[in-house]
Amino acid sequence: MKSEIAIHLEGVTKSFGRGQTRVDVLRGIDLDAYFGEILLLVGPSGCGKTTLLSVLSGLLDTELGQIIAFGSHIEKMSDSEKTTFRRENVGFVFQQFNLIPTLSAAENAAVPLFIQGIGVSTAKKRAEELLEQVGLGHRSHAYPSELSGGEQQRVAIARSLISNPRLLICDEPTAALDGDTGYKVMEVLRESAVRPDRCVIVVTHDSRVLTFGDRIAHMLDGKIQSVEVPEHAAG
């Protein structure tokens, strides 16, 4: 799949510790992510996948290399510029749903808009529209304790999309779900999140969701070993 490049990483390195305790986590990452695709990032635990997500979103600083997102150099941004970049461009979906138990599904999905100072009624209306889009319109008034794991993850997906991000980062979004529920969540992600003006990057250990990837980047020991286009996405 070849379209416009959304994210370009070249020679990206990251380590933790110093001297004898130094651990090289990213060792020269070269990778492109495109608009309109789901890019799956796979590899064994400890190979650097989550660190890679953190540096490309500006949560962690790099040491060497370039990270160009939507034409801007992330590695040259100040901390405040990175915060602004994430707020304006990035949505996150995690393994844990991180919902606020005292808020309804609609209120949880609307939290990013509340933080931006958008009025409650406007924010909740947008949240209810997104919950409808992910198949939870009928559960917008339910609290997290009243929702199944799959339903909670769909609320989290709606929350991640409410600010209309150009980059959606998903870190093990199906890990806390059973196989059938995880598959349905990935279906929702593909139907709701993939757009020509958005890039979706998913870290996963779940081989059952590989069928949702337009490309699969295999990572090992801090490097991208290969990037494949699965048969189902090759045309």
Side-chain angles (χ1 to χ4, degrees):
M1 178 177 182
K2 291 294 182 182
S3 59
E4 184 183 353
I5 293 175
I7 313 289
H8 172 73
L9 296 93
E10 183 175 335
V12 173
T13 67
K14 178 65 180 177
S15 64
F16 297 99
R18 296 181 179 180
Q20 293 183 342
T21 63
R22 177 186 172 100
V23 177
D24 294 319
V25 181
L26 302 180
R27 301 191 296 161
I29 296 291
D30 297 322
L31 184 65
D32 288 328
Y34 297 95
F35 285 110
E37 75 167 354
I38 291 181
L39 173 64
L40 298 182
L41 187 60
V42 303
S45 296
C47 72
K49 301 186 302 296
T50 298
T51 300
L52 179 55
L53 295 185
S54 296
V55 298
L56 68 85
S57 62
L59 286 168
L60 286 175
D61 293 332
T62 57
E63 290 159 355
L64 297 173
Q66 293 183 334
I67 303 175
I68 303 173
F70 318 122
S72 298
H73 282 261
I74 303 298
E75 81 281 358
K76 295 181 180 179
M77 292 181 182
S78 66
D79 288 344
S80 62
E81 287 171 337
K82 289 176 181 177
T83 299
T84 299
F85 171 82
R86 284 192 298 275
R87 183 176 65 245
E88 295 179 349
N89 295 283
V90 187
F92 294 92
V93 178
F94 301 102
Q95 174 179 339
Q96 302 302 322
F97 318 125
N98 299 322
L99 301 182
I100 300 171
T102 55
L103 298 183
S104 69
E107 290 166 337
N108 266 286
V111 162
L113 298 186
F114 294 156
I115 293 172
Q116 294 174 30
I118 293 175
V120 172
S121 60
T122 300
K124 287 183 69 175
K125 181 180 179 182
R126 171 62 177 151
E128 288 168 356
E129 290 171 353
L130 273 172
L131 288 173
E132 186 72 36
Q133 190 175 330
V134 301
L136 279 184
H138 63 298
R139 302 287 276 152
S140 63
H141 298 292
Y143 289 90
S145 62
E146 300 171 321
L147 299 173
S148 68
E151 289 174 330
Q152 291 186 61
Q153 190 61 295
R154 281 189 271 171
V155 174
I157 290 171
R159 180 183 59 198
S160 74
L161 296 175
I162 200 161
S163 296
N164 196 25
R166 289 192 285 177
L167 171 62
L168 184 63
I169 290 176
C170 307
D171 194 0
E172 300 283 1
T174 64
L177 306 173
D178 63 72
D180 184 58
T181 303
Y183 190 89
K184 291 178 180 176
V185 163
M186 288 300 297
E187 285 184 324
V188 167
L189 199 61
R190 171 161 287 286
E191 292 168 2
S192 303
V194 178
R195 296 189 338 189
D197 59 350
R198 178 181 291 140
C199 172
V200 181
I201 301 177
V202 179
V203 162
T204 185
H205 281 100
D206 189 349
S207 61
R208 294 166 296 191
V209 306
L210 296 184
T211 56
F212 290 93
D214 296 297
R215 292 186 304 135
I216 303 174
H218 297 270
M219 195 168 179
L220 182 66
D221 296 333
K223 295 182 178 181
I224 300 295
Q225 298 293 309
S226 63
V227 180
E228 67 170 309
V229 178
E231 288 186 9
H232 69 264

